[in-house]
Amino acid sequence: MSKLVLRNLSRRFGSFTAVDAIDLTLQEGEFVSLLGPSGCGKTTTLRMIAGFIPPTGGTIESDGVALSSPDAVTPPERRGMSMIFQSYAIWPNMTVAENVGFGLKLRKLPSEEVHRRTGEILEIVQMGHLAGRYPAELSGGQQQRVALARAIVVKPSVLLLDEPLSNLDANLREEMRFEIRRLHDEFRITTVYVTHDQAEAMVTSDRIAVMNAGKIEQVDAPFALYNRPRTRFVAGFIGRTNFLEARVHGGQLDLGGFALPAGVLNGHTPAAGQSVLLSVRPQSIALAREPGGDALSVPARIVEGAYLGEHWDYLVAPEGAGETKLRVTTLPSQRHQPGEQVWLRFDPDQMVPIA
Amino acid sequence: MLRRLSVIEPATLLWLLLVGALVVLVAWPVAELLVASFTAPRTGAWTLSNYAAAYGRARYVEALFNSLYLGAASAAICAVLAVPMAWACSRTDMPGRGFAWFTVLAAFIIPPYLGAVGWILLAGPNSGWINQAWVWLTGAEESLVNVYTFWGMAIVIALHSYPFIFIFTKSALDLVNSEMEDAANILGAGTWTTTLKITLPLVWPTILAGIILVFLETIALFGTPAIIGIPARINVVTTQLWQFFEHPVRAEVAAAYSMPLLLITAGLIGLQKLMLNRKGYVSQTGKGGERRMIKLGPWRWVLLAWCGFVCLLSVAAPMVALVQASFSRAWGRGFSLDNLTIKNYRYLLFEHDGAALAVVNTFVFSAAAATLAIFIALAIAYVVKRKLLPMGGALAFLCMAPFVIPGIVMAIGFYAAYAGPPLTLYGTAAMMILAFTARFLPIAYANGSAGVQMIHPEMEEAVRILGGGRLTAVKSVVIPLLKKALLGGWLLVFILATRELSAAIFLVGPETRTISVLLYDLSEEGNLEVLSALGGILLVITLVFVGTGMKLIGRDFMLRRGGE
Ligand SMILES: Nc1ncnc2c1ncn2[C@@H]1O[C@H](COP(=O)(O)OP(=O)(O)OP(=O)(O)O)[C@@H](O)[C@H]1O
Ligand SMILES: [Mg+2]
């Protein structure tokens, strides 16, 4: 059975629709991220799942039991979930151990068990030696670990995280991403993770739900999301891409000045006369100094290049294509001068038609 | 060296001026207080006999304990009154939060001894309104309530002191990130568990700080204990000090007797500072933390009723009683047309031989003291914050010192320092103005330094890089930017000075009586109608100035935390 089901879920604030009829289903033990730009409704969705905000439309179910609907909302304290807040919300008047043990005490567990489980989880997040400290005496990363321990120790049915890493510096953020994934692999808690950082979502998640303006655009595993984006927004938001408008003319895919064989888009060949938008990742296009000798090789000229250490980033203009320019990345060793004649080679597998 | 050669640089002059002012206002009186307590009155020899006299009688020692009990009782009542109100106003969807805030403001601006007069009218034995109503309703022989008791006094004091705890608690609650509460909710804690286990513990140090403040205010209070306690034969430290000043004046014994008050105050303020700074309680901040109001359901009416009850006791009932009495021929006859008169006011303003002068004195002293205090405080705040002069820390310390000195103790210090030769300021306007200035210097300083803090030094540096001197910078940037803050500080000091009693009563002479002193004299005469009318006059003055302040500066100008 599905662990958590959001059905047609909406939330309006006055006349403004912050969350617009979204559907999302999580399986037991699954890790799903809500990814999207600022203000797209991620926090609102998460707080509806937690029960802090009642929906204005749709329902939330867990294990087949309705939790939220516009008429009735189970309060947060009766959902058996836990949550990690953007501000961590570590209680400054309690020690690390007291913070972590709080949820266990609420469950009226015997004090030896509270003590034992608190100790265990603190070891797992590598905070055992700091159990007696007050939060004000901890670094940001350590507070983050306390928040994680406090949320996990109660074995919640669902774990919710709202941009938990946004207050950390870059290095720590990278480390904590893997930490969060490691804890998930260990405990398999069904998790909803809110972030606007795509790398964070890619590292941690089984599936990512990309949100934009209150709607979910696409839900997929990281690999599929990157390689098979279904909407223009998703293709542009996850990684960088080139958009090409294509039209089918007499067996040719007309890309506005240059053409490729229409058959190249395996399985997706549009009907004649139809137009289609293609997303082509910069690293899926190969640059060569010599013509490739087949229909997938297109002459072009280098407009400008930037060296970024891990790769070169070129802007190239296909010949005869007017204003159309493409971004292409190459290995650091492959240098070209502006104005140089090159040949682009497209990989049909990585040209994705999008809605 | 290209140093300018001049005998006295302007900065040095300013420094001398400020140091001089602080010595006159603070250091000298405190030093004289200490010296006097160890000096034999006539011979001037070093002695411990003042201490022996001050603590040699059981009655005097008992007064000390009475003060402590009274402080504890009134602080506890205040907490019970104020904490639910503050929580309701800060964290819940209780209706009428504006009304609750207004109640607190009103209770705060009503001079405490006017509340005492109001409660004498309400709960005096036999004739008090409540007792009359009780007898009429039940046919009972006995009175129901009596204000002339220890608990009567404690409640009346609490009814004007609870705003301190309200302000402390509410401002702390306003700062609690509601994610702190959400975090407890999602782990399974309901509203009440969260409030008791998370929210209140988070603000507990601040509540305790408020309780300490009320305790200190109560043990240093003179007006209410004098008006209620003396007839009730309940002796406390302040009224005992007053008795040492009756003929023959024994100022040295009073000085010795005031030492515990000074030590307790200084000690508790230190403790309070420690508590507020305690490391573990520093509230964590971060992005997020949109505030969620707690939905109370039917409980919101219970809390609103509580606020209404507090409003009735602290503001509505005593003030209605006071105003009614001030317009009555005989207040006990209640509301009726033939009982209505303005003769009490006419008598005070046109016939009484001291009232008009007292009103004028009150205005003059308060305005002069407010101006002086703000000017000195701003100058010191400026040189301290900009680190212009050496030993700025010491200046700031002296400026804040009167905060830990109860007004009544300050007055005894002033008496010891300036009443007799060589200056012989006793009974002069200068004495009153200096004492008021010293008393309210810390408030003025808190205002001034918060203001200066707001002005980024770069704003002045911009003036100076364009060729303006430091003085031009102050005149063209600092003063204009601080206008509001200064005006707010001035009004606050002015309002507090118009009601000042505990210092004034010790320093006043025949020509320098103020409204508050006259009020106290009238209360001894027992003419409650005329007394109420004078209270009415003071109330009108207060309301006019508070209203002006709210209009010019914003409605929070008196109720900001740190204002007192
Ligand atoms: N209580 C509220 N009243 C009115 N509008 C709100 C409220 N809460 C959120 N909104 C609006 O709803 C939209 C979505 O807010 P939400 O907090 O869910 O965004 P988010 O995706 O979490 O953004 P961020 O990445 O910046 O945290 C925003 O435009 C916000 O202004
Ligand atoms: Mg958010």
Side-chain angles (χ1 to χ4, degrees), chain A residues 296-318:
Chain A
L296 289 174
S297 193
V298 173
R301 203 161 286 282
I302 301 282
V303 179
E304 60 187 34
Y307 178 60
L308 296 173
E310 289 174 11
H311 60 258
W312 276 94
D313 191 11
Y314 292 109
L315 190 65
V316 299

Side-chain angles (χ1 to χ4, degrees), chain A residues 237-274:
Chain A
F237 191 73
I238 311 281
R240 300 186 315 154
T241 196
N242 297 291
F243 289 113
L244 287 171
E245 189 80 40
R247 189 173 279 279
V248 181
H249 272 307
Q252 289 283 84
L253 201 54
D254 177 4
L255 292 155
F258 65 101
L260 298 172
V264 298
L265 301 175
N266 43 355
H268 290 289
T269 317
Q274 219 184 356

Side-chain angles (χ1 to χ4, degrees), chain A residues 42-44 86 162-163 194, chain B residues 287:
Chain A
K42 307 179 294 287
T43 298
T44 308
Q86 214 164 6
D162 190 359
E163 306 205 24
V194 161
Chain B
K287 195 193 150 192

Side-chain angles (χ1 to χ4, degrees), chain B residues 7 19 49 105 114-115 131 183 186 268 270 338 370 436 486:
Chain B
V7 188
V19 169
S49 66
L105 176 71
L114 289 191
N131 289 323
I186 194 89
L268 282 181
D338 63 334
F436 286 1
L486 290 179

Side-chain angles (χ1 to χ4, degrees), chain A residues 9-21 39-41 44 56 213-215:
Chain A
L9 191 68
S10 300
R11 172 71 211 197
R12 304 165 63 83
F13 293 108
S15 62
F16 174 75
T17 307
V19 175
D20 194 1
C40 70
T44 308
T56 50
K215 289 194 160 63

